[in-house]
Amino acid sequence: MIPTPAPGFTESSGTLESRPPLAQHPLPVLLGAEPCVCGRSAGPPPPRSCLPPRALHLPPLCLPTQGQNMSLSVLEGMGFRVGQALGERLSRETLAYREELDILKFLCKDLWMAVFQKQMDSLRTNHQGTYVLQDNSFPLLIRMASGLQYLEEAPKFLAFTCGLLRGTLCTLGVKSLVTASVAALPACKFQVVIQKS
Amino acid sequence: MSRPTHRRPEYRKINKDLFVLTYGALVAQLCKDYEKDEDVNKYLDKMGYGIGTRLVEDFLARSCVGRCHSYSEITDIIAQVAFKMYLGITPSVTCNNSSRNEFSLILDKNPLVEFVEELPAGRSSLCYCNLLCGIIRGALEMVHLAADVTFLQDRLKGDSVTEIGITFLKKPEEKKYRRKK
């Protein structure tokens, strides 16, 4: 089984825009490593083995429940499967990407166009393996609300897409970690960190 | 309190591969979650029911079907209008009994199984497309028609065709039916 790192989601308020980069977290795949949704129960706990315990240095507020983490992880895993297959089918015409940047551009243009009928609004990078893809009107969020209403529901709609990105990158030969953050609906950012193996 | 909405094309299409692959990932995840095939089938039906209760609104808004006067008209509309609108296929309709309340939809092509070669080992009674049954059932219920919808035959299980059976649970009456799917 491919271990599926769960996406971490940030609910950053208007004033606190930046998130700590993933490298600072001791366990990059730790579920709930980012402060995110308020701890609302997602329903009966799923019949699965326990998740690894959270590190103690996490802020006490706004931690997701275990059930919620699990659902996000499951969604991300499903997105990963779909992304792997989509990556194969979409990139048939254009093979042999030379650079990481070309691959990320493919995600922003071709993948997003195929899946959401629009392109990503901006792509930024630190040229050291971290890319931030910004979508100002993410189609899965645009029908919900604008602004801060339903901010805590947003991760459910982003998890699958994070997996989609990660899966497509995997097919294209790039190991990565994808997380998403929402400051205000419907704009969201996907952070892709390339894993050097 | 309304927020400004973009003008969008009304009938947005989705990438077919994405749709089919996502459905497959959904079924695969359900198979991981539930050990018994019956449970997976039941859950797919339940999810489909939730979809159907909402989908019927979209269907009625987008299609121009008038009132239906018989179960066979209803089934024809499901096959020729609804399936065509949402899946791009037109199953053929047969009537299975003389009291005209049991019908079958014969699916020649099924886009949902495009990437499925065979059912996984140990899952021989999985109804892969059971979501469809739930959708039909939910949609019919929203227009006050109770029906049992199940797969009678399934190519994935080795049958020659894929057949969905719809059994309307009330006797047909003379009065006009509500405007329906």
Side-chain angles (χ1 to χ4, degrees):
Chain A
M1 281 304 282
I2 307 167
T4 54
F9 298 101
T10 315
E11 174 191 291
S12 38
S13 65
T15 50
L16 194 68
E17 196 52 57
S18 63
R19 279 157 66 256
L22 279 172
Q24 286 182 5
H25 292 281
L27 290 166
V29 302
L30 182 62
L31 298 172
E34 312 275 346
C36 54
V37 304
C38 302
R40 276 171 43 194
S41 171
R48 299 259 193 135
S49 58
C50 286
L51 303 167
R54 297 194 197 101
L56 291 173
H57 70 280
L58 289 173
L61 294 172
C62 296
L63 288 176
T65 61
Q66 232 174 7
Q68 211 158 23
N69 270 340
M70 192 49 100
S71 356
L72 296 179
S73 176
V74 164
L75 285 171
E76 206 266 352
M78 285 173 63
F80 181 75
R81 283 180 81 127
V82 177
Q84 279 184 311
L86 262 186
E88 282 171 26
R89 298 183 72 77
L90 286 178
S91 61
R92 265 198 209 138
E93 306 87 34
T94 36
L95 303 165
Y97 291 104
R98 311 231 182 285
E99 291 176 7
E100 257 174 32
L101 194 58
D102 287 335
I103 297 182
L104 267 296
K105 283 187 190 162
F106 168 80
L107 290 187
C108 292
K109 292 193 184 152
D110 301 299
L111 178 71
W112 231 240
M113 190 53 98
V115 174
F116 297 117
Q117 286 89 45
K118 69 184 281 281
Q119 293 192 3
M120 192 75 76
D121 288 313
S122 86
L123 169 65
R124 295 199 303 267
T125 176
N126 67 355
H127 296 291
Q128 282 159 14
T130 302
Y131 299 83
V132 176
L133 289 66
Q134 175 152 1
D135 192 328
N136 292 328
S137 55
F138 190 58
L140 297 181
L141 294 178
I142 203 152
R143 307 245 172 189
M144 284 168 66
S146 297
L148 302 176
Q149 199 184 7
Y150 301 125
L151 200 58
E152 60 252 28
E153 313 287 349
K156 294 179 204 158
F157 293 84
L158 297 171
F160 184 86
T161 313
C162 287
L164 197 72
L165 286 167
R166 191 169 67 88
T168 310
L169 283 167
C170 178
T171 308
L172 297 172
V174 176
K175 261 190 74 173
S176 62
L177 200 62
V178 182
T179 56
S181 68
V182 181
L185 276 72
C188 64
K189 291 186 192 157
F190 295 91
Q191 182 181 43
V192 177
V193 179
I194 310 292
Q195 314 282 293
K196 308 281 183 215
S197 50
Chain B
M1 283 269 292
S2 67
R3 58 186 180 88
T5 49
H6 301 296
R7 284 292 306 266
R8 307 183 159 265
E10 264 200 67
Y11 308 144
R12 276 184 81 157
K13 295 204 174 195
I14 191 174
N15 181 301
K16 181 180 163 196
D17 288 344
L18 174 70
F19 180 64
V20 175
L21 290 169
T22 304
Y23 184 73
L26 176 75
V27 178
Q29 184 61 45
L30 284 177
C31 287
K32 271 195 230 161
D33 291 342
Y34 298 104
E35 288 203 12
K36 292 207 212 145
D37 294 344
E38 298 80 45
D39 292 336
V40 179
N41 292 342
K42 206 170 64 160
Y43 207 83
L44 278 172
D45 187 82
K46 200 167 117 174
M47 290 173 75
Y49 179 81
I51 293 174
T53 54
R54 293 164 182 83
L55 195 68
V56 69
E57 306 273 349
D58 181 76
F59 174 77
L60 290 175
R62 280 165 55 173
S63 68
C64 301
V65 289
R67 287 178 193 273
C68 292
H69 299 95
S70 67
Y71 290 139
S72 99
E73 252 185 82
I74 293 168
T75 317
D76 283 337
I77 286 183
I78 295 177
Q80 289 155 17
V81 187
F83 264 84
K84 183 94 183 99
M85 190 185 281
Y86 294 111
L87 287 178
I89 55 171
T90 314
S92 48
V93 178
T94 60
C95 180
N96 292 347
N97 70 346
S98 57
S99 58
R100 319 268 317 150
N101 70 330
E102 285 179 23
F103 296 87
S104 288
L105 301 172
I106 315 277
L107 275 72
D108 201 29
K109 282 190 318 170
N110 188 352
L112 289 179
V113 304
E114 190 177 320
F115 301 126
V116 182
E117 287 182 11
E118 53 177 14
L119 291 177
R123 291 279 180 192
S124 51
S125 48
L126 174 70
C127 292
Y128 185 82
C129 298
N130 219 32
L131 198 85
L132 293 177
C133 293
I135 293 178
I136 298 175
R137 188 170 64 87
L140 286 173
E141 194 164 304
M142 279 295 112
V143 289
H144 306 287
L145 287 166
D148 265 337
V149 188
T150 53
F151 271 92
L152 298 175
Q153 295 191 72
D154 195 346
R155 271 217 188 100
L156 286 180
K157 292 185 191 163
D159 299 317
S160 49
V161 292
T162 303
E163 183 181 347
I164 299 179
I166 306 178
T167 306
F168 292 93
L169 295 178
K170 284 199 186 125
K171 294 182 68 103
E173 291 167 19
E174 284 309 312
K175 67 168 186 182
K176 286 191 178 170
Y177 295 109
R178 290 276 297 270
R179 184 162 185 238
K180 114 126 252 11
K181 173 181 175 152

